[in-house]
């Protein structure tokens, strides 16, 4: 018996017939007879987008926001079924935490669909323009799945071809170094940039664009501290994609696919299983109908991603983003304490309980401008363009501009940019990865732990004992064995 890591569910071959937003399986299709027409290939790439929905609603906010100093949880002593989420918040998790396996499986499901599509495209006979676009979308999605995987786990299996048999799965399953994964990510994003259009219209709105690929590749470069390469990409995105900052910050979350949006995960309200539940998950668990208009379910369905006092204190007086992001209207009837909750993803009225059509923004122009300011500041200080970019974000928020008079060093500018990223992009799944990328995670979370323990008597002594930068690799993936 040889113990090796494999991808059990995620390496299954999948072919389904989908429209872009409302994905309905083709129960009569198979890999052998499905990839025949252009329409079928388009349906196949739609299926490669689909796992993003479950990843966002199910786990990524746990890793990117609750793991950080931005959010925590509302203690629910009458229901302890959500303890595996609480463990993630307080650095008490282990490799059997179910959130790791679900994120891992969904990510590799998306990757397997991309790999299958890319294999079948080599023999497709329809027009080259559509073939190029489909390759760009599949490459973008595969790179995005791998980027999230390696930011969460570090070394992961790197599978870049269709898996046709169990033997293939075992042959390709061992983990490879994070550096090798990043090489593949960069290659995929570069191909996506070359093959994707700058924009989509109509029914195709929401698909990955060249601007989305450039933005995420620039984020990869920032992660690798390749600031020149990041800046070279970032400075072209706004003009080439015709992106614009929304005059009203809240419009980013009240409307879909605005001029500021670069890539957002699409959700559909109604039947079909493609809706979002953020408004319900992030509402106080005992808030009844106050947040969404529908009563919340019993159990651990709500009370998650609750803004921390630490984050609320980070907003400057007069910052318009506070009320657009956080609501403090609910008071716990038992404790008589205000329980804040995320306002960004609560846009009632809804037609049905636990069923909203609110999209989730992966990246938008404000993210690009702040990343460019960061790259320019790391290249040289002082840099007036970096100040200008930072101040575009601040002025929209109703705040005064920063100048070289009140920011006098590169390190002070670095802190100012990260502070702006924190409040501008709160709850959009950037904070933890920003802390790790900038090397601030241990210091920031150590200080945050002291504040949390002073405020919350129920935090266990073992909490925050070790500030781990990567998450445990899923236990199940290390225990599956085979006989050869």
């Amino acid at each position: 018996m040889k113990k090796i890591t494999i991808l059990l569910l995620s390496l299954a071959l999948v072919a389904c017939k989908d429209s872009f937003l409302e994905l309905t399986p083709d129960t009569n299709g198979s890999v052998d007879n499905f990839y025949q027409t252009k329409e079928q290939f388009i349906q196949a790439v739609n299926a490669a987008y689909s796992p993003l929905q479950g990843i966002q609603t199910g786990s990524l906010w746990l890793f990117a926001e609750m793991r950080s100093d931005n959010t925590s949880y509302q203690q629910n002593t009458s229901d302890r079924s959500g303890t595996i989420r609480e463990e993630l918040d307080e650095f008490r998790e282990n490799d059997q935490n179910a959130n790791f396996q679900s994120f891992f499986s969904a990510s590799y499901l998306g990757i397997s669909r991309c790999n299958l599509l890319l294999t079948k495209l080599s023999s497709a006979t329809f027009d080259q323009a559509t073939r190029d676009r489909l390759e760009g979308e599949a490459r973008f999605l595969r790179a995005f799945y791998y980027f999230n995987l390696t930011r969460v786990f570090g070394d992961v299996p790197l599978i870049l071809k269709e898996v046709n048999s169990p033997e293939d799965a075992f042959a390709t399953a061992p983990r490879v170094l994070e550096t090798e994964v990043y090489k593949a990510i960069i290659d995929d994003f570069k191909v996506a940039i070359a093959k994707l259009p700058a924009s989509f219209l109509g029914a195709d709105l929401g698909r990955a664009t060249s601007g989305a690929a450039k933005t995420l590749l620039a984020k990869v470069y920032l992660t690798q501290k390749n600031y020149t390469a990041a800046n070279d990409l970032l400075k072209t995105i706004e003009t080439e994609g015709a992106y614009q900052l929304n005059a009203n910050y809240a419009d980013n979350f009240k409307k879909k696919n605005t001029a500021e949006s670069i890539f957002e995960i699409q959700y559909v309200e109604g039947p079909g299983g493609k809706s979002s539940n953020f408004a319900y998950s992030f509402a106080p668990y005992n808030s009844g109908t106050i947040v969404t208009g529908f009563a919340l379910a019993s159990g651990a369905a709500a009370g998650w991603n609750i803004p921390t006092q630490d984050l609320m204190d980070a907003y400057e007086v007069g910052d318009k983003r506070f009320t657009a992001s956080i609501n403090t209207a609910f008071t716990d009837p038992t404790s008589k304490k205000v329980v804040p909750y995320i306002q960004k993803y609560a846009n009632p009225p809804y037609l049905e309980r636990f069923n909203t059509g609110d999209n989730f923004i992966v990246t938008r122009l404000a993210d690009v401008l702040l990343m460019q300011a960061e790259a320019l500041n790391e290249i040289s200080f002082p840099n007036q363009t970096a100040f200008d970019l930072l101040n575009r974000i601040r002025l929209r928020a109703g705040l005064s501009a920063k100048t070289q008079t009140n920011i006098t060093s590169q390190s002070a500018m670095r802190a100012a940019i990260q502070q702006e990223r924190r409040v501008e992009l709160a709850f959009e799944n950037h904070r933890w990865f920003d802390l790790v990328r900038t090397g601030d995670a241990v210091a920031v979370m150590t200080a945050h732990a002291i504040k949390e323990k002073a405020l919350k008597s129920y935090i266990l002594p073992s909490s925050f004992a070790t500030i781990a930068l990567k998450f445990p690799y899923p236990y199940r993936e290390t225990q599956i064995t085979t006989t050869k």
Side-chain angles (χ1 to χ4, degrees):
M1 301 289 287
K2 180 181 178 183
K3 180 187 293 186
I4 66 173
T5 305
I6 71 166
L7 317 175
L8 186 62
L9 172 62
S10 56
L11 292 180
L13 298 178
V14 181
C16 52
K17 182 176 181 179
D18 306 326
S19 66
F20 183 47
L21 292 179
E22 300 184 53
L23 309 176
T24 304
D26 178 1
T27 55
N28 296 319
S30 72
V31 172
D32 292 333
N33 64 24
F34 182 79
Y35 290 89
Q36 304 296 321
T37 67
K38 179 169 70 173
E39 289 70 25
Q40 288 175 327
F41 275 89
I42 291 173
Q43 292 159 5
V45 82
N46 294 346
Y49 282 91
S50 183
L52 291 177
Q53 294 177 320
I55 288 170
Q56 291 294 336
T57 57
S59 53
L60 199 56
W61 57 268
L62 286 164
F63 306 152
E65 294 291 342
M66 262 185 57
R67 183 64 154 196
S68 78
D69 52 347
N70 273 5
T71 66
S72 184
Y73 60 90
Q74 180 191 13
Q75 188 189 33
N76 184 350
T77 56
S78 64
D79 189 304
R80 308 307 298 150
S81 60
T83 53
I84 60 173
R85 290 178 170 180
E86 296 175 8
E87 290 169 1
L88 284 167
D89 178 59
E90 298 172 359
F91 293 81
R92 294 187 286 110
E93 78 283 347
N94 60 49
D95 59 4
Q96 296 189 59
N97 190 299
N99 293 291
F100 300 140
Q101 186 63 54
S102 62
F103 169 71
F104 184 94
S105 296
S107 298
Y108 277 102
L109 174 61
I111 289 167
S112 70
R113 290 177 175 179
C114 293
N115 288 341
L116 179 58
L117 174 64
L118 290 168
T119 297
K120 299 301 182 182
L121 266 177
S122 62
S123 58
T125 58
F126 49 85
D127 64 284
Q128 188 63 46
T130 302
R131 291 171 62 187
D132 285 345
R133 193 204 88 188
L134 293 173
E135 181 182 357
E137 289 184 84
R139 292 270 206 151
F140 170 89
L141 291 168
R142 186 169 69 179
F144 185 39
Y145 285 122
Y146 271 123
F147 187 33
N148 284 331
L149 279 164
T150 198
R151 289 194 294 176
V152 170
F153 297 122
D155 302 345
V156 295
L158 181 61
I159 301 172
L160 302 174
K161 64 179 183 178
E162 178 188 2
V163 175
N164 290 305
S165 66
E167 290 74 23
D168 282 350
F170 285 111
T172 57
R175 299 164 73 182
V176 303
L177 293 177
E178 188 174 342
T179 53
E180 292 301 309
V181 180
Y182 271 114
K183 289 179 182 178
I185 291 169
I186 291 170
D187 179 62
D188 272 351
F189 276 139
K190 285 182 175 179
V191 173
I193 290 169
K195 292 183 178 288
L196 287 173
S199 63
F200 285 98
L201 298 173
D204 288 323
L205 192 64
R207 293 184 183 277
T209 62
S210 57
K214 282 187 174 184
T215 301
L216 291 178
L217 179 54
K219 200 177 290 287
V220 169
Y221 286 146
L222 281 185
T223 302
Q224 298 180 323
K225 304 190 184 308
N226 188 345
Y227 301 113
T228 299
N231 179 59
D232 287 345
L233 283 172
L234 292 164
K235 67 185 181 183
T236 69
I237 292 171
E238 181 176 9
T239 301
E240 289 183 10
Y243 301 111
Q244 301 175 40
L245 288 179
N246 291 319
N248 180 13
Y249 175 81
D251 283 349
N252 286 298
F253 316 102
K254 304 303 179 187
K255 302 176 182 179
K256 292 188 174 190
N257 303 306
T258 70
E260 185 170 336
S261 176
I262 295 176
F263 183 64
E264 58 188 73
I265 296 171
Q266 311 291 307
Y267 290 92
V268 182
E269 185 173 9
K274 298 304 172 184
S275 60
S276 166
N277 66 352
F278 285 120
Y280 296 90
S281 295
F282 301 163
Y285 75 85
N286 52 350
S287 58
T289 62
I290 291 173
V291 178
T292 64
F294 287 95
L296 300 171
S298 60
W304 303 109
N305 236 13
I306 299 297
T308 63
Q309 188 63 49
D310 194 343
L311 172 63
M312 292 190 290
D313 291 343
Y315 286 87
E316 298 172 53
V317 175
D319 192 331
K320 297 176 182 179
R321 294 170 295 193
F322 184 92
T323 54
S325 303
I326 299 171
N327 196 312
T328 57
F330 175 71
T331 301
D332 188 317
T334 301
S335 68
K336 307 303 180 184
K337 294 180 179 180
V338 170
V339 180
Y341 60 90
I342 296 175
Q343 182 69 40
K344 282 184 175 180
Y345 306 111
N347 297 304
Y350 300 118
L351 299 177
E352 185 179 341
R353 192 171 74 159
F354 305 128
N355 188 324
T356 86
D358 297 322
N359 286 356
F360 191 96
I361 298 174
V362 172
T363 186
R364 51 190 174 87
L365 182 59
D367 183 20
V368 167
L369 301 183
L370 290 171
M371 285 197 292
Q372 189 184 358
E374 179 181 340
L376 289 170
N377 181 60
E378 296 298 334
I379 292 170
S380 67
F381 179 88
N383 186 297
Q384 187 55 48
T385 302
F387 276 93
D388 293 343
L389 293 165
L390 176 67
N391 288 330
R392 287 178 64 184
I393 304 302
R394 289 182 58 79
L395 291 173
R396 177 175 68 170
L399 303 177
S400 60
K402 296 286 187 180
T403 69
Q404 293 180 41
T405 301
N406 47 40
I407 297 181
T408 60
S409 69
Q410 185 182 49
S411 61
M413 183 64 166
R414 185 180 296 131
I417 293 168
Q418 292 310 315
Q419 155 66 14
E420 213 61 44
R421 286 188 63 81
R422 185 183 187 189
V423 294
E424 172 70 25
L425 303 171
F427 320 126
E428 296 177 46
N429 289 355
H430 296 278
R431 179 59 175 171
W432 173 250
F433 299 128
D434 281 353
L435 289 174
V436 173
R437 174 173 56 76
T438 58
D440 295 328
V442 173
V444 167
M445 294 308 297
T446 299
H448 175 67
I450 295 172
K451 296 177 183 178
E452 286 286 274
K453 289 179 178 179
L455 290 171
K456 302 172 181 178
S457 60
Y458 53 82
I459 294 180
L460 298 177
S462 59
S463 298
F464 302 100
T466 301
I467 307 300
L469 301 184
K470 299 293 185 183
F471 295 85
Y473 196 69
Y475 175 80
R476 175 185 175 186
E477 299 304 318
T478 67
Q479 296 303 305
I480 298 178
T481 60
T482 185
T483 302
K484 285 197 170 183

